Amino acid sequence: MKKLLVLAVLGFLFLNVQGQWYSRQFNVNSIDDLSQAQLNYALQRAEANLKAGKILTLSGVGAFTVGTIIAAAAFSDFWNWDDSDTGLYVTGGMLMFLGMGSTAVGIPFWIHGATRRNKVEVALIKFNTSAVSGFRQPAQLGLCVNITF
């Protein structure tokens, strides 16, 4: 029963993450309906999520590594356990636990920020002008054949 409950909560979390962010935030049906200012704001938010995810992940890995080293130092002489080693073991265990938590939070932030940044950058392409022709790129890119009579 506990496993089923945990799986259900995780499933709802991932379904909620897959929602369309632009319809909730800007009340539009498509990302192509956003203005350049709205897309630039969304790009700033995506970059902030990406940066936060990187910081949380890397600091979590560092804390886990330091905690592992401290906990291993507590076990330097396993057969002659001393009460003074208990503090090192607890400190190392706490750092390892906090590092795992920070990494578990940071990785989804990192992925979410990178995915959103890529989508926004693709949507911003329609606002860029071409350096070669000086004309704005069409909304739908592709090849076409014009036949005139």
Side-chain angles (χ1 to χ4, degrees), residues 75-93:
F75 284 122
S76 63
D77 193 8
F78 183 73
W79 299 111
N80 295 327
W81 182 261
D82 189 12
D83 287 337
S84 65
D85 294 336
T86 304
L88 286 175
Y89 180 69
V90 170
T91 303

Side-chain angles (χ1 to χ4, degrees), residues 49-112:
N49 278 346
L50 183 66
K51 186 177 180 181
K54 286 179 182 180
I55 290 171
L56 283 171
T57 302
L58 296 176
S59 65
V61 169
F64 182 80
T65 304
V66 170
T68 303
I69 292 169
I70 292 173
F75 284 122
S76 63
D77 193 8
F78 183 73
W79 299 111
N80 295 327
W81 182 261
D82 189 12
D83 287 337
S84 65
D85 294 336
T86 304
L88 286 175
Y89 180 69
V90 170
T91 303
M94 292 288 284
L95 275 174
M96 289 171 59
F97 180 72
L98 290 173
M100 286 188 295
S102 177
T103 303
V105 171
I107 290 174
F109 266 80
W110 194 343
I111 293 170
H112 179 262

Side-chain angles (χ1 to χ4, degrees), residues 4 10 34 58 102 145:
L4 182 64
L10 288 175
L34 295 176
L58 296 176
S102 177
V145 176

